[in-house]
Amino acid sequence: MDERDVIRGAVKAAGLVKKGYQLKITVIVMAVFLAGLMLAGLLFPAGSARAADCQDTGPGTAGAAPDARGGSNDAGEGQDPRDGHAILAVRRDNALAIDKVAKDLKLPGRATLIALMTAMQESSLINIDHGDEDSVGLFQQRPSMDWGTKASIMKPEYAARSFFLGHGTNKGLTAVKNWEKIPLGKAAQAVQNSKYPDLYAGHESAMRQLAEDVGIDLERKGKATGNGKGGKPVTSANSECGVNQPGTPGSAGPGGSAGGKFSDGKQSWDLNNPRSVKDAIAWAKANAGSHSTKTWYRRCLAYTAIVYGWNVSGVTYAIDHYTVVPKSMRHDKDRHPPAGALMYWETGGRAGHIAVYLGDGKVASNDILRPGYIDIVDAELFETKWGATYVGWTPPVFPKAG
């Protein structure tokens, strides 16, 4: 029975009443009143409620519609994302992916629960490629808000790691004071900064049930900061550059000159960057030192692309950019780069490091003096301080930038 049936029944009853105009009016008024109750859901509640359902009510706590715009939601090959079983399978897979990251970071099961509640509210635990403004992924993280590139955010493991550890200027769960003790929804909100902070808590019971179904141990012990690296932000997709470990094999040590000084070579380029070499160098100098903002932690390749006016480099790792540039433009081990060149180092990590050569032996680089900031330093400092190995230089060419 719905509210229309109530109205019809009440009006019919009113038509059968022959005991006076006043009584008829009263019955009609009662019909309208009953219809109002029906609309409010007070007269005929849907289903039987359980005690655990109390926290799963309120606007926005229901599962989001699966990818109404037809985009990918990772339902799996051959599966209709509108099929309930397929959606449940996707949610289970994503829950396990989130928990794996938490376990790898040595975080307690409570961290997994908070992440599951957050992802359920933000994306219905489906890895959608759209959202409010430029939000994407399980946690609806925004590339424009320094959460990384869209491609990287769309990787569940990357998005989960960012949620736990933070990214760029965004703090993660491990940076929230007393996150392991404060209410679950409050901890989620401290990371997400949502306009609707009260909605995360409503998913607790459903996510506990999901965790039980897939064998996730939410009572697992762990450390609030994880494996000791908690609090160190996740790097962006075109970063993870640099190291902070002087004395790496091949290092000359802080007092040495490693491979020697750098001096200027001649420039003979025909480029199509949004900024000219002259303007790029001027921009780099104007935004370094005391004028730098703390937004560049391990974002060396992103920085060099932005120096030349691009939004993104289009390459995942700094050292890979060296191989993207045509071979004829690579100058292996040459220590005479022209002003404006891109310089590359192997750092012992996957990504390596890249910096913009300003001339006179100086480069503009992130992290070398202060994590997250841009400073102008001697180019040889990467060898003497980090123990990095100089690879060579290329013209400021960005074949995949946009």
Side-chain angles (χ1 to χ4, degrees):
M1 177 181 291
D2 62 16
E3 62 272 17
R4 290 172 296 180
D5 294 323
V6 174
I7 294 172
R8 292 190 193 103
V11 171
K12 183 178 180 181
L16 294 175
V17 174
K18 303 298 183 179
K19 294 186 178 181
Y21 178 80
Q22 184 176 1
L23 182 57
K24 183 180 293 187
I25 292 298
T26 301
V27 173
I28 293 174
V29 169
M30 283 300 297
V32 175
F33 176 70
L34 289 172
L37 289 177
M38 188 63 184
L39 289 171
L42 298 177
L43 187 60
F44 300 104
S48 59
R50 296 173 299 171
D53 294 328
C54 296
Q55 57 192 337
D56 292 330
T57 59
T61 56
D67 205 358
R69 298 194 305 181
S72 170
N73 63 11
D74 287 1
E77 184 177 358
Q79 293 179 317
D80 186 342
R82 293 166 295 183
D83 181 87
H85 294 293
I87 293 173
L88 181 57
V90 168
R91 286 175 177 158
R92 288 177 171 178
D93 288 345
N94 288 329
L96 289 169
I98 290 171
D99 186 55
K100 182 181 185 303
V101 174
K103 288 192 293 187
D104 288 346
L105 293 173
K106 310 300 183 186
L107 290 167
R110 184 181 179 87
T112 295
L113 177 57
I114 294 171
L116 293 180
M117 292 165 56
T118 303
M120 190 63 185
Q121 172 57 36
E122 296 290 353
S123 67
S124 195
L125 203 49
I126 297 172
N127 196 30
I128 54 177
D129 62 356
H130 58 270
D132 182 47
E133 297 189 38
D134 61 336
S135 300
V136 295
L138 291 173
F139 298 92
Q140 289 291 281
Q141 295 154 336
R142 296 178 58 186
S144 64
M145 298 301 288
D146 203 22
W147 281 103
T149 65
K150 179 178 179 179
S152 60
I153 295 171
M154 285 298 296
K155 299 174 182 177
E157 293 80 7
Y158 176 97
R161 189 175 176 86
S162 294
F163 177 81
F164 291 130
L165 300 185
H167 181 280
T169 57
N170 302 293
K171 68 180 179 182
L173 182 64
T174 55
V176 176
K177 186 177 181 180
N178 295 324
W179 71 265
E180 71 280 17
K181 298 178 182 179
I182 63 178
L184 299 166
K186 185 175 181 181
Q189 169 63 8
V191 179
Q192 298 296 105
N193 296 310
S194 171
K195 294 179 181 179
Y196 309 101
D198 299 327
L199 299 184
Y200 299 108
H203 297 289
E204 180 182 353
S205 65
M207 292 303 97
R208 285 188 180 278
Q209 184 62 58
L210 177 62
E212 182 180 339
D213 291 344
V214 298
I216 293 174
D217 181 9
L218 297 180
E219 303 305 317
R220 180 183 68 246
K221 302 296 182 182
K223 297 181 179 180
T225 56
N227 57 10
K229 299 179 181 178
K232 178 179 286 188
V234 175
T235 56
S236 65
N238 54 356
S239 62
E240 295 188 2
C241 50
V243 295
N244 289 292
Q245 300 174 353
T248 304
S251 169
S257 61
K261 296 286 186 181
F262 289 89
S263 59
D264 297 359
K266 292 185 178 180
Q267 178 188 119
S268 56
W269 302 326
D270 182 16
L271 306 172
N272 63 345
N273 296 317
R275 285 197 184 102
S276 66
V277 170
K278 180 180 179 180
D279 289 343
I281 291 175
W283 189 93
K285 290 180 177 179
N287 291 276
S290 61
H291 299 291
S292 175
T293 57
K294 191 179 180 181
T295 58
W296 302 107
Y297 181 68
R298 298 188 120 185
R299 297 181 62 214
C300 54
L301 184 53
Y303 170 72
T304 58
I306 290 170
V307 165
Y308 275 95
W310 299 103
N311 291 321
V312 293
S313 69
V315 180
T316 302
Y317 295 110
I319 201 64
D320 291 349
H321 193 267
Y322 191 71
T323 62
V324 169
V325 175
K327 188 174 182 178
S328 61
M329 295 183 177
R330 304 176 209 161
H331 299 266
D332 297 346
K333 304 295 184 182
D334 185 82
R335 302 181 79 86
H336 306 288
L342 306 180
M343 301 177 68
Y344 305 78
W345 289 265
E346 292 278 5
T347 61
R350 167 66 179 87
H353 191 69
I354 185 173
V356 179
Y357 186 63
L358 303 180
D360 298 324
K362 303 288 186 180
V363 295
S365 174
N366 59 308
D367 297 344
I368 184 64
L369 294 186
R370 303 173 296 161
Y373 291 94
I374 304 297
D375 288 292
I376 295 174
V377 300
D378 290 333
E380 62 182 301
L381 193 59
F382 303 104
E383 296 164 280
T384 60
K385 181 177 180 180
W386 283 355
T389 301
Y390 177 59
V391 174
W393 65 269
T394 69
V397 174
F398 299 89
K400 297 187 177 183

